[in-house]
Amino acid sequence: MLEKQLVGQKAVEYIEEGMIVGLGTGSTVNIVLRELGNKVKQGLKIHGVATSKFTEERALELHIPLIDVADIDHIDIMIDGADEANDQFNLIKGAKGALLREKMIATSSTHFVVVIGEQKYVHKLGAFPLPVEIVPYAWKVTIRQVERLGCRVTLRMSESDIPFITDNGNYIIDCHFNHIEEPSVLSTQINAIPGVVDNGLFVDMADTMIIGKADGKIEIKEK
Ligand code: 5RP
């Protein structure tokens, strides 16, 4: 929790007056939202773009002004968490199922800032199961094709024991690779399968990684 607090506070320092700010999804982003809400209360003028219904609700509660993504053609900065990150600035994302919108906003942003705890900073990606968003139609066929890439696949379920549905009306499958040797190659292979919407590999997208440590320090890596 301390790590999340530290990285959340640091991340909002990158947000400047007048910026359009992409708001990721997750518990670390919740801390960012709280800090940003305080700054807005103190007079900072920004507009946020939410990457999930969850973040949208949280931002509105904190009185962070939001702008409809359909009304803008650029985003100045995106702040988001990750499930794994490595020294090539590659990420695995999607534990909360928001990977598609997060990737769309991250790739449209001038500056993509990632906030993580040190346990998520790994040498090789893949211990965390890779989330992949797929259309519900013929989902078993899609899973079989993804499995041919060398992983075990599980369909993500919700608490009520029905498939988890993303904000885009799709399913999420979690792909257990254990080690991902070439994230860029794998990402291309997965996205080439019909039925796949997108996968949680964010290859070479992050510009800044703010890493929180258990000893209360933070490390910042700039590309
Ligand atoms: C959501 C994500 C999150 O950024 C990722 O799961 C990290 O979440 P948290 O900050 O709660 O650990 O990719 O789709």
Side-chain angles (χ1 to χ4, degrees), residues 51-192:
T51 54
S52 62
K53 289 178 185 158
F54 184 79
T55 292
E56 183 178 325
E57 282 166 19
R58 188 84 189 100
L60 291 174
E61 279 166 20
L62 294 164
H63 306 289
I64 297 170
L66 295 180
I67 192 164
D68 191 331
V69 73
D71 294 334
I72 51 168
D73 61 4
H74 80 284
I75 291 140
D76 294 299
I77 189 167
M78 159 80 161
I79 300 179
D80 203 354
D83 302 305
E84 274 185 352
N86 72 5
D87 60 1
Q88 304 297 301
F89 290 79
N90 296 327
L91 315 172
I92 285 183
K93 286 184 48 55
K96 310 295 179 301
L99 65 97
L100 175 63
R101 294 185 187 195
E102 289 170 342
K103 196 182 276 191
M104 291 175 75
I105 299 305
T107 52
S108 317
S109 297
T110 307
H111 189 179
F112 180 22
V113 177
V114 175
V115 279
I116 52 168
E118 63 182 336
Q119 75 286 357
K120 292 179 173 179
Y121 190 68
V122 297
H123 177 60
K124 201 172 270 188
L125 300 180
F128 191 92
L130 176 67
V132 176
E133 183 159 349
I134 64 170
V135 297
Y137 179 79
W139 61 274
K140 286 187 182 168
V141 174
T142 308
I143 284 184
R144 198 146 306 136
Q145 294 204 51
V146 174
E147 281 173 337
R148 288 201 190 111
L149 297 173
C151 60
R152 181 173 64 80
V153 176
T154 51
L155 178 67
R156 193 178 295 182
M157 304 299 282
S158 67
E159 278 168 15
S160 40
D161 216 27
I162 54 169
F164 172 88
I165 304 286
T166 69
D167 286 348
N168 315 302
N170 295 315
Y171 289 173
I172 295 281
I173 54 173
D174 293 297
C175 305
H176 301 249
F177 282 98
N178 298 324
H179 300 287
I180 295 176
E181 300 299 333
E182 293 181 283
S184 171
V185 173
L186 182 63
S187 179
T188 304
Q189 287 174 327
I190 293 173
N191 283 7

Side-chain angles (χ1 to χ4, degrees), residues 10-59:
K10 190 72 198 171
V12 293
E13 291 178 17
Y14 287 78
I15 300 174
E16 294 169 13
E17 180 80 6
M19 280 185 162
I20 296 177
V21 184
L23 305 169
T25 298
S27 56
T28 318
V29 166
N30 277 350
I31 308 277
V32 173
L33 292 176
R34 203 179 62 204
E35 296 296 323
L36 182 56
N38 287 338
K39 287 206 161 192
V40 167
K41 213 188 241 171
Q42 289 158 17
L44 179 74
K45 294 208 169 19
I46 55 101
H47 282 98
V49 175
T51 54
S52 62
K53 289 178 185 158
F54 184 79
T55 292
E56 183 178 325
E57 282 166 19
R58 188 84 189 100

